[in-house]
Amino acid sequence: MTIDQVSRNEVTLANWREHPFSTLSFQSVSEFVPTAMMTSAHERPRDPVGSAAIDGITLQIDGNATNLPDYLRASWTDALVVLRDGKVIADWHAPHADLNRPHVIFSISKSVTGMLAGIAVDDGLLDADAPITDYVPMPASSAYGSARVRDLLDMTVDLDFDEEYTDKDSAFDRYRRAMLWNPERADTVAQTMEEFLATLPARNSGDHGKRFYYASPNTDLLGLVIEWAVGRRYHDYLAERLLKPMGMTGASYVTVDRVGTARAAGGICITVEDLARLGDLVRMGGRNAAEQQIIPAGWIDDMLANGNRQAWVDGNFADMFADGRYRSCWYQVGDDRGSFCGVGIHGQWVLVDPVSRITIAKTSSRPDASDDSGTAREIAALRQVARSLDIA
């Protein structure tokens, strides 16, 4: 079946993350999973700028030259927006995609949650160095019973959990069912997100803070910590304190479980332009276009300058950025330009090159959730695009 042959009535909860159904569902997640609205779209969307500014860019990918539009098509891109100094200089979208429809950004949701945590800290409602149990009750038998909020932010929880995207009998499948992303099974007991998180054990006797170990449940728990700390629903606080002040122009929502707990690690759905603006907000030190401080500058400075380098080297993502780090849910690329990014499965990206003053957001429906060689090509391609657009 090709993309052109997919009809909406063929997409179900059982197949919505599978290709080619994802070419429709990634822009209409609310039709399959419960969601909470955060912002509404402006009545008149921005007119597209077009791709003239980037059409002539030639990339070197795996030793071969290819033009950017061909690369975008080959990498299953749904939409792309490029900002320079906060202004849209180029946009591109596939025939099946709509620049003005919210697209699921998967794990870039973690980066957004890390930004919101900084706001909660600045509001005096959250202590990033406090034990998780100061905010959310977790049993001593859980890995989270002895970890800190900072371990959630930096992915340094000693957690026994594997992100096995295709294993139907794993803890990951139980996790997906708890968030209502997979159909329920008659042979299992339904759980809420919080109930599921409480069952996850430590891997090495709770030796937290030593090693980067990527695990999405960490950021879902961070979302719950923020809720308990501020006394409000995650999606309400996110909309009021970050998305609306930032200047969102499109609709946005987040998926929720059976009791309304937001999927803070991967359920945010926003337009590709608003995704770019979130990245640009960080480039601007947490200030919006009106020079209002939305995210505390100290939090941004810490995110860009710090992060346990040894924890990254010893971690399970070290090959992705050989000279990188991870801090407050953002990746530091480790290049000579101070580039940083947020990354989501199936090819979601927001990459910022501070030297070029370029921010690139890319949404995709890549068939494979995780693809190491595809990720390497994306990193190379987006960095080349940013450098190609460098001007004095």
Side-chain angles (χ1 to χ4, degrees), residues 153-368:
L153 284 158
D154 293 353
M155 288 288 182
T156 53
V157 178
D158 175 39
L159 185 67
D160 188 8
F161 179 84
D162 293 316
E163 303 239 345
E164 297 290 346
Y165 297 108
T166 59
D167 189 340
K168 303 300 184 183
D169 295 307
S170 65
F172 194 81
D173 183 63
R174 187 160 57 94
Y175 173 47
R176 282 274 170 91
R177 283 183 278 116
M179 69 179 81
L180 305 183
W181 280 29
N182 281 3
E184 291 292 351
R185 288 169 39 175
D187 61 338
T188 60
V189 176
Q191 291 179 305
T192 66
M193 181 72 71
E194 186 173 350
E195 288 169 341
F196 168 78
L197 295 172
T199 70
L200 296 179
R203 186 179 295 268
N204 297 306
S205 303
D207 192 16
H208 307 297
K210 302 291 181 62
R211 175 175 177 258
F212 175 91
Y213 183 75
Y214 187 89
S216 290
N218 291 340
T219 318
D220 286 313
L221 183 52
L222 178 61
L224 272 166
V225 165
I226 292 171
E227 279 200 353
W228 284 62
V230 305
R232 299 181 60 191
R233 281 298 201 186
Y234 169 92
H235 62 273
D236 286 335
Y237 190 63
L238 176 58
E240 181 184 321
R241 300 291 283 110
L242 175 56
L243 301 183
K244 291 177 181 177
M246 181 197 78
M248 292 276 284
T249 60
S252 64
Y253 53 86
V254 62
T255 70
V256 295
D257 75 356
R258 66 191 75 250
V259 294
T261 298
R263 179 83 215 287
I268 293 176
C269 302
I270 58 177
T271 68
V272 65
E273 181 177 338
D274 284 331
L275 175 58
R277 297 203 180 284
L278 279 166
D280 213 54
L281 184 66
V282 180
R283 183 187 68 84
M284 290 295 293
R287 300 185 307 277
N288 66 8
E291 295 294 321
Q292 297 169 314
Q293 195 73 43
I294 309 303
I295 306 168
W299 186 264
I300 299 295
D301 291 343
D302 176 79
M303 185 201 85
L304 296 177
N306 295 319
N308 188 328
R309 172 66 183 155
Q310 192 60 50
W312 177 261
V313 170
D314 294 338
N316 63 335
F317 271 26
D319 290 343
M320 186 165 76
F321 297 118
D323 298 312
R325 290 174 288 109
Y326 188 86
R327 183 69 165 177
S328 297
C329 304
W330 284 80
Y331 296 92
Q332 310 310 315
V333 173
D335 61 12
D336 59 353
R337 304 169 75 84
S339 302
F340 55 92
C341 63
V343 187
I345 58 171
H346 295 286
Q348 321 315 315
W349 284 86
V350 57
L351 181 136
V352 180
D353 181 331
V355 174
S356 297
R357 309 186 309 282
I358 291 289
T359 299
I360 305 169
K362 181 180 188 289
T363 56
S364 312
S365 50
R366 188 181 68 199
D368 294 325

Side-chain angles (χ1 to χ4, degrees), residues 46-226:
R46 175 186 60 80
D47 291 330
V49 169
S51 59
I54 58 175
D55 284 344
I57 294 176
T58 299
L59 306 174
Q60 290 294 325
I61 304 295
D62 295 334
N64 299 309
T66 183
N67 66 60
L68 180 57
D70 284 348
Y71 173 79
L72 294 177
R73 286 185 282 268
S75 61
W76 311 97
T77 306
D78 292 329
L80 180 93
V81 164
V82 181
L83 307 180
R84 177 188 286 123
D85 295 325
K87 305 293 185 183
V88 178
I89 62 168
D91 49 41
W92 182 98
H93 65 91
H96 64 268
D98 184 342
L99 288 168
N100 296 308
R101 286 185 69 86
H103 191 292
V104 61
I105 60 172
F106 289 110
S107 287
I108 305 179
S109 303
K110 296 177 175 67
S111 302
V112 178
T113 302
M115 297 160 80
L116 189 64
I119 292 171
V121 169
D122 194 56
D123 284 347
L125 301 172
L126 177 66
D127 180 355
D129 295 316
I132 293 166
T133 51
D134 280 7
Y135 303 100
V136 180
M138 284 281 135
S141 58
S142 163
Y144 299 120
S146 56
R148 303 167 303 148
V149 176
R150 174 50 65 187
D151 295 316
L152 299 177
L153 284 158
D154 293 353
M155 288 288 182
T156 53
V157 178
D158 175 39
L159 185 67
D160 188 8
F161 179 84
D162 293 316
E163 303 239 345
E164 297 290 346
Y165 297 108
T166 59
D167 189 340
K168 303 300 184 183
D169 295 307
S170 65
F172 194 81
D173 183 63
R174 187 160 57 94
Y175 173 47
R176 282 274 170 91
R177 283 183 278 116
M179 69 179 81
L180 305 183
W181 280 29
N182 281 3
E184 291 292 351
R185 288 169 39 175
D187 61 338
T188 60
V189 176
Q191 291 179 305
T192 66
M193 181 72 71
E194 186 173 350
E195 288 169 341
F196 168 78
L197 295 172
T199 70
L200 296 179
R203 186 179 295 268
N204 297 306
S205 303
D207 192 16
H208 307 297
K210 302 291 181 62
R211 175 175 177 258
F212 175 91
Y213 183 75
Y214 187 89
S216 290
N218 291 340
T219 318
D220 286 313
L221 183 52
L222 178 61
L224 272 166
V225 165
I226 292 171

